[in-house]
Amino acid sequence: MDFSIRPEIRTLLDRVAAMVRDEIAPLEAEYHAEIAKGDRWAYTARQAEILEGLKAKAREAGLWNFWLTDSARGFGLTTVEYACFAEEMGKTPMGAEVFNCNAPDTGNMEVFERYGTDDMKDRWLTPLLEGEIRSAYLMTEPQVASSDATNLEMSCVRDGDTYLLNGEKWWASGAGDPRCKVYIVMVKTGGDDLPRHKRHSMIVVPADTPGIEKLRPMQVYGHDDAPHGHMHIRFTDVRVPVENLLLGEGRGFEIAQGRLGPGRIHHCMRAIGQAEAALELMCRRGIEREAFGKPLVQLGANYDIIAEARMEIEQARLLCLKAAWMMDQGDARAAAPWISQIKVVAPRVALKVVDEAVQMFGGQGVSQDVPLSAMWTHLRTLRLADGPDAVHRRQVARAELRKYTQQKM
């Protein structure tokens, strides 16, 4: 296995790391402080100035759309190489968006590029690639156990030259953003007489289509994540053209597998970036702060805690790189168990490191003065995003057991 990065790519990575450290991270606190001023679901002038200014700098520097690992539009990065970029961008909340590598847009752009019509590419893909608009991916539903996506019930019925959509979706991440202009929606187009994985489709829905109602922002541990938001949305007789259906009826899961695989690696490496940021905060705090006449780092088991954090981060990174390498070999089925493993391991390790950092900071660790509580909330949520841990552990176990059942046969 080769986890090396080409020299020219290493230079790009160093430039990204420097921009994250020197230009993005120092503006994070000011950017987020603006949310409380005026309408939480709109960008203040200063917020827009910070975000769009950083995006313009990144783009002018040629640091843009790294996630396009299998496209003539990108840098030609391998998945292993992009994983390293995702780690650096994950060290600060704005990092991914500044370089136009933010979820759920990256996954949606992959869908438009792979499966969209020329009109969809002109109307949606191009402005997304330019960072001019945002998008949302609508899959989970409040009335069914969406961890089994075959349960999804949103009705999508053909009516002449249009499809009629009725139902509810929630946890539509990014749908609260005023720049969000388009949804990709998982819908049910087939009856129960069809095989379970042939009943669903994906359809493109402009966000301003009549009949769409944003019921509420979902709160994550009491926070609404404005202005990004994770919205609960109702569709009532929402009518869209038949050509908005991607690939054809019954092909939703086929598209989902193409969309979700790479995205899981991106999320996991960003989680490792957050773990690195938390470990740095913990070490600096332990050295600089004193109690009982000693630096905090010399009290209790803090040396052991820091050592364990370093070792667990390194293990998680290597597992993520192996999953990325497996993806680069082109065999999605062989890579799947490794993706499932890192999907469990990365947020779990990062959560542990963040929690230890919170402990080192004491009361300040759970306050708005340091980013640790926001990190913890995001990472705990990540253990549910793209499938809960239990589903991924089930997949890992099934792959492991398959070795022995095949031997028995």
Side-chain angles (χ1 to χ4, degrees), residues 382-404:
L382 188 55
R383 292 183 61 193
L384 297 169
D386 291 345
D389 285 1
V391 171
H392 291 290
R393 288 197 299 265
R394 179 173 178 261
Q395 293 302 103
V396 173
R398 289 174 68 180
E400 194 68 19
L401 291 167
R402 198 175 295 123
K403 305 173 189 176
Y404 303 98

Side-chain angles (χ1 to χ4, degrees), residues 76-87:
L77 303 186
T78 65
T79 311
V80 167
E81 288 171 334
Y82 180 74
C84 299
F85 283 78
E87 178 179 342

Side-chain angles (χ1 to χ4, degrees), residues 121-172:
K121 290 176 182 178
D122 290 340
R123 186 176 179 187
W124 306 119
L125 178 59
T126 297
L128 282 166
L129 287 168
E130 298 295 322
E132 296 171 354
I133 65 170
R134 296 294 307 268
S135 63
Y137 181 62
L138 279 58
M139 187 170 182
T140 58
E141 299 175 5
Q143 305 302 330
V144 298
S146 301
S147 56
D148 176 1
T150 63
N151 284 335
L152 297 177
E153 290 289 344
M154 175 174 274
S155 172
C156 180
V157 178
R158 182 157 184 171
D159 181 22
D161 293 334
T162 63
Y163 281 101
L164 207 59
L165 278 62
N166 283 281
E168 293 183 12
K169 296 286 186 179
W170 65 355
W171 299 111

Side-chain angles (χ1 to χ4, degrees), residues 94-298:
M94 278 198 300
E97 184 171 358
V98 167
F99 302 103
N100 211 43
C101 295
N102 42 285
D105 293 335
T106 51
N108 288 342
M109 285 188 274
E110 283 186 306
V111 170
F112 282 128
E113 185 174 53
R114 294 184 187 183
Y115 311 113
T117 63
D118 289 341
D119 180 66
M120 290 177 189
K121 290 176 182 178
D122 290 340
R123 186 176 179 187
W124 306 119
L125 178 59
T126 297
L128 282 166
L129 287 168
E130 298 295 322
E132 296 171 354
I133 65 170
R134 296 294 307 268
S135 63
Y137 181 62
L138 279 58
M139 187 170 182
T140 58
E141 299 175 5
Q143 305 302 330
V144 298
S146 301
S147 56
D148 176 1
T150 63
N151 284 335
L152 297 177
E153 290 289 344
M154 175 174 274
S155 172
C156 180
V157 178
R158 182 157 184 171
D159 181 22
D161 293 334
T162 63
Y163 281 101
L164 207 59
L165 278 62
N166 283 281
E168 293 183 12
K169 296 286 186 179
W170 65 355
W171 299 111
S173 296
D177 194 313
R179 300 167 299 162
C180 182
K181 303 300 182 186
V182 62
Y183 306 150
I184 295 179
V185 189
M186 189 76 148
V187 293
K188 187 174 183 180
T189 50
D192 292 346
D193 56 317
L194 293 175
R196 290 179 67 83
H197 287 87
K198 298 293 183 182
R199 301 172 188 171
H200 295 81
S201 307
M202 283 195 196
I203 194 164
V204 177
V205 183
D208 60 357
T209 305
I212 294 176
E213 180 185 3
K214 293 178 185 175
L215 299 179
R216 56 178 176 160
M218 301 301 299
Q219 293 189 356
V220 183
Y221 292 106
H223 298 281
D224 59 13
D225 203 14
H228 182 70
H230 312 280
M231 309 304 285
H232 183 180
I233 300 176
R234 177 184 293 144
F235 289 67
T236 304
D237 292 334
V238 173
R239 196 175 291 273
V240 294
V242 293
E243 56 265 27
N244 283 28
L245 198 76
L246 292 160
L247 284 187
E249 291 190 8
R251 302 184 70 178
F253 281 95
E254 177 184 342
I255 298 170
Q257 289 309 306
R259 182 190 187 280
L260 291 177
R264 287 176 182 146
I265 293 293
H266 303 177
H267 281 313
C268 294
M269 287 305 282
R270 284 195 292 265
I272 292 168
Q274 288 183 72
E276 285 284 6
L279 179 56
E280 179 179 347
L281 287 169
M282 176 163 48
C283 290
R284 292 186 183 280
R285 177 75 166 193
I287 292 169
E288 294 167 1
R289 196 83 157 188
E290 290 189 1
F292 306 104
K294 293 181 179 180
L296 293 182
V297 74
Q298 295 181 15

